[in-house]
Amino acid sequence: MSALCARLRRPAQLTLGTAILGTGLYAIDARSEAQLLQRNIRTFYNGIALAVDYKLNFRPSLEPDSASRIEALHERVANRIFDVFERNGGLYIKMGQVIGTQSAVLPAAYQRRARRLFDAAPALPFEVVERVFREDFNGLQPSQVFSEFEMLPVASASIAQVHRARLHTGEVVAVKIQKPAILKQMEFDLMAFRVLLWVYEKLFDLPMSWSSDYIEKHIRMEADFISEARNTELASKNFEKEPALKDRVYVPKVYNDFSSKRVLVSEWVDGVQLTDIPKLKAKKLNVDRAMYTTIEAFSSQIFGSGFVHGDPHPGNVLVRKHPTSKSDVQVVIIDHGLYIQESEKFRLEYCKLWEALFMLDMDTMNRICKSWGILDSNMFASITLQKPFSPTKAVHLGQANVNMHDIYELQTSLKDRIKDFLKDQALFPRELIFISRNMNIVRANNKALGSPVNRINVMARWALRGLSRQPVSTQEFSSIHQKIRGYLYSTWRLWIFDCTLMIMSLSFWMVKLRDRTNKLLFGTAGQGFEEVLDQKIKDQVMGQVLTI
């Protein structure tokens, strides 16, 4: 009997000891700045739970209540995942904000829930700011480094917050302070990110983890403010080299003598966020012109310099009066922590791809896609343009008839299409990961303003301009005959290209005319051009799935 009691006591003691140890660790973690244990338990629990929820309950059918059940599933999962983003903070807020820009491909429930996340970055108390300064500036306080320093931050983001200050020489500056827990949290957050990608890859049999190394590398760079200072200076030089953008786009200068790995001091600029329509109108800033300049700025990076901003959300794009032309605006681009540098080979291929899309040059498009390990070039073209692409049509804005059977076929067959989309992951250019992110955010900004700019046409013209920077071999066009033939061929392609852009422009202005007519006659706000493209790309995917 005593031996039995002893055997029963051992598991009880082990359970009690484990519970006490776990409670103690949880209590210690709760008082720590990084809260690594809680964050990772929350991440893995909810990550597995939402995966299982989708695995078990995503069962499209032809039954009448199928659509409502799937919508309820999306709503449930969206609330779960965004609750994790808000409670974990830091890099999770940035991930959630990126998801919030994917309106062309994600269910509406994700869009509704994402809107609350853009204001979800809490500010640090001033005592923590002082501690960061003491650690990075040999014990100096902010009041010793600056003649004035505002204790309350003017903005708080996922990895840092910004204070307004004044140098002893009189210049007003923005002081960006990194949140000290970020570096501790980052390693565990990225580990969780990698593990969940692997789990989802196995659970859903989809290629996911191949991109993790490249993404992790660039996210780590975002937490290094010395790297951000270098990015800022290079981006400024690149814009100054563009005659069309030199005075229309501005990058605030960095004060390197007052900066460190966790503190970045730059010129203070008063401006209005790109999508803040009431403030833009109150200050009589031209919304259309601001959006047009913004699209040109980031297009010049993608197709021209190849040095591309990875996070152009509205808070990082400010608008102010042009310093010399009072009727114009100047776009100010800030927060240069996340950048990618394209290889020259990729930059030229990407320019050629855009030219081929508008010229309907399927041979060139298929050749480039194949060299990148992409088999479904039509699907990739739609993703690139963020509009439906058809190899037989320059523009596709026709109304699609969508019924319950189409929805069923889409939901059951899309997985196989995605699996086959990227066959050789080793060939896929990693630059496209952040270029797609850049383009998605810029598209979302244009949509938020009511789609005042034909974004696709602007980008296409910059792609053609990017091709003009291609070095020409001295052996090419050596004879007069070859020169004339080359000139005529280039002129012909340019004419076809311009005609295609003109057709796109007509579609763009027809949508705007329709919306204004509806508002004038019926008082209803119509869809902007970006919303039309979002819907049509979903309709096109549906139609393509039916052919599988």
Side-chain angles (χ1 to χ4, degrees):
M1 185 70 178
S2 60
L4 177 62
C5 290
R7 281 199 300 272
L8 291 174
R9 276 200 301 271
R10 288 192 198 101
Q13 289 171 348
L14 181 61
T15 303
L16 179 62
T18 302
I20 292 172
L21 178 62
T23 303
L25 289 174
Y26 190 87
I28 294 170
D29 183 72
R31 292 186 177 87
S32 70
E33 206 166 49
Q35 297 186 342
L36 300 177
L37 181 62
Q38 291 184 51
R39 287 161 55 87
N40 284 283
I41 289 175
R42 190 181 298 125
T43 299
F44 284 115
Y45 171 77
N46 286 283
I48 298 300
L50 70 88
V52 171
D53 199 0
Y54 264 128
K55 189 75 173 177
L56 295 179
N57 298 312
F58 190 75
R59 295 282 186 266
S61 69
L62 295 175
E63 297 175 9
D65 66 337
S66 177
S68 60
R69 284 191 291 103
I70 296 299
E71 177 61 24
L73 171 63
H74 291 323
E75 192 83 39
R76 185 168 66 248
V77 171
N79 285 330
R80 178 187 289 275
I81 193 171
F82 279 97
D83 284 345
V84 172
F85 290 155
E86 286 181 350
R87 294 184 67 186
N88 281 2
L91 293 178
Y92 285 86
I93 290 179
K94 189 172 288 292
M95 284 189 281
Q97 290 170 345
V98 171
I99 289 175
T101 66
Q102 310 299 312
S103 62
V105 292
L106 288 179
Y110 286 81
Q111 311 310 312
R112 292 192 295 269
R113 187 61 179 81
R115 293 190 190 107
R116 289 159 44 188
L117 197 66
F118 283 89
D119 299 317
L124 295 174
F126 188 66
E127 295 76 19
V128 178
V129 172
E130 289 184 307
R131 174 159 59 84
V132 172
F133 260 88
R134 287 196 303 270
E135 292 171 356
D136 280 30
F137 292 93
N138 299 318
L140 294 177
Q141 300 279 7
S143 58
Q144 296 172 287
V145 178
F146 305 97
S147 63
E148 299 174 16
F149 192 93
E150 295 183 4
M151 295 177 64
L152 293 177
V154 295
S156 180
S158 53
I159 67 171
Q161 62 189 48
V162 178
H163 293 255
R164 193 173 189 268
R166 187 182 297 273
L167 299 176
H168 288 289
T169 51
E171 296 96 331
V172 179
V173 293
V175 184
K176 184 176 179 180
I177 314 288
Q178 188 176 119
K179 297 177 178 179
I182 286 295
L183 291 178
K184 297 175 186 176
Q185 293 171 346
M186 182 175 289
E187 293 303 319
F188 287 89
D189 290 350
L190 292 176
M191 179 191 71
F193 168 70
R194 185 185 286 271
V195 170
L196 285 176
L197 279 183
W198 182 84
V199 170
Y200 288 176
E201 187 171 68
K202 300 302 179 185
L203 196 60
F204 295 103
D205 193 24
L206 289 173
M208 291 184 173
S209 61
W210 60 272
S211 62
S212 60
D213 288 341
Y214 187 81
I215 293 173
E216 286 183 26
K217 171 189 171 184
H218 285 84
I219 287 178
R220 283 194 175 92
M221 290 169 61
E222 197 171 4
D224 182 355
F225 288 178
I226 294 175
S227 173
E228 181 172 346
R230 287 195 298 266
N231 292 344
T232 304
E233 291 169 346
L234 182 54
S236 179
K237 289 177 182 176
N238 288 337
F239 284 130
E240 287 175 2
K241 291 177 185 176
E242 289 288 352
L245 299 175
K246 186 175 181 181
D247 297 321
R248 294 166 51 213
V249 180
Y250 185 74
V251 175
K253 71 175 182 178
V254 172
Y255 293 87
N256 288 306
D257 292 342
F258 298 94
S259 299
S260 68
K261 200 173 181 67
R262 295 189 298 170
V263 177
L264 183 68
V265 179
S266 56
E267 175 187 2
W268 178 271
V269 173
D270 286 309
V272 180
Q273 285 193 12
L274 176 64
T275 55
D276 193 340
I277 298 177
K279 286 187 179 180
L280 290 170
K281 290 183 176 179
K283 291 183 175 290
K284 297 181 179 179
L285 297 168
N286 190 315
V287 176
D288 294 11
R289 185 66 174 167
M291 192 66 238
Y292 184 82
T293 302
T294 300
I295 294 173
E296 282 214 299
F298 293 119
S299 298
S300 77
Q301 291 188 330
I302 293 171
F303 300 109
S305 67
F307 191 58
V308 185
H309 198 304
D311 196 18
H313 67 75
N316 290 338
V317 183
L318 307 179
V319 184
R320 66 178 181 179
K321 286 281 187 185
H322 195 284
T324 57
S325 176
K326 297 304 179 184
S327 61
D328 201 358
V329 298
Q330 186 179 65
V331 168
V332 181
I333 300 176
I334 61 175
D335 195 356
H336 300 268
L338 183 57
Y339 263 77
I340 62 141
Q341 178 63 65
E342 301 169 357
S343 69
E344 182 64 8
K345 177 178 179 293
F346 169 81
R347 187 190 70 79
L348 289 173
E349 285 180 340
Y350 199 55
C351 289
K352 289 176 182 176
L353 178 72
W354 270 73
E355 183 193 33
L357 291 174
F358 279 80
M359 298 289 294
L360 296 180
D361 183 352
M362 299 306 298
D363 289 340
T364 299
M365 191 176 85
N366 290 333
R367 176 177 54 79
I368 293 173
C369 286
K370 185 178 180 181
S371 71
W372 290 351
I374 298 168
L375 297 187
D376 193 339
S377 57
N378 286 351
M379 185 177 180
F380 180 68
S382 294
I383 293 171
T384 299
L385 292 175
Q386 297 166 316
K387 68 174 290 292
F389 175 82
S390 169
T392 60
K393 294 181 182 179
V395 180
H396 175 61
L397 287 172
Q399 182 66 34
N401 295 318
V402 181
N403 55 38
M404 192 61 210
H405 185 267
D406 294 336
I407 295 173
Y408 171 73
E409 292 290 343
L410 169 68
Q411 293 171 334
T412 54
S413 304
L414 190 56
K415 176 182 173 182
D416 291 332
R417 190 174 182 86
I418 293 172
K419 281 175 63 177
D420 293 335
F421 169 68
L422 188 59
K423 276 295 186 183
D424 194 338
Q425 298 158 18
L427 294 176
F428 188 79
R430 287 350 187 216
E431 294 99 323
L432 283 171
I433 297 170
F434 286 104
I435 287 174
S436 297
R437 170 184 166 130
N438 176 294
M439 290 168 55
N440 272 319
I441 297 174
V442 171
R443 177 200 54 78
N445 294 343
N446 192 33
K447 181 178 176 181
L449 292 176
S451 308
V453 180
N454 190 339
R455 168 183 52 84
I456 297 172
N457 276 24
V458 175
M459 295 186 70
R461 291 195 180 279
W462 275 96
L464 202 62
R465 187 179 298 185
L467 276 178
S468 68
R469 302 178 185 185
Q470 182 177 5
V472 180
S473 170
T474 56
Q475 301 299 318
E476 288 189 70
F477 309 138
S478 55
S479 70
I480 297 294
H481 175 71
Q482 287 177 318
K483 288 180 180 179
I484 293 174
R485 193 171 68 175
Y487 172 78
L488 292 175
Y489 178 71
S490 299
T491 303
W492 167 252
R493 288 182 67 87
L494 182 60
W495 185 82
I496 295 294
F497 190 84
D498 284 337
C499 286
T500 307
L501 293 187
M502 184 181 70
I503 295 171
M504 267 297 295
S505 295
L506 287 174
S507 298
F508 172 77
W509 288 109
M510 285 174 64
V511 171
K512 289 184 76 71
L513 178 63
R514 182 204 65 188
D515 290 347
R516 289 178 181 177
T517 303
N518 285 339
K519 187 173 182 180
L520 181 64
L521 296 180
F522 308 110
T524 57
Q527 289 181 309
F529 195 63
E530 297 288 358
E531 289 177 300
V532 172
L533 295 184
D534 282 355
Q535 185 57 48
K536 295 309 168 188
I537 201 168
K538 290 173 184 175
D539 294 345
Q540 187 212 34
V541 171
M542 231 174 246
Q544 288 180 344
V545 166
L546 294 176
T547 66
I548 295 177

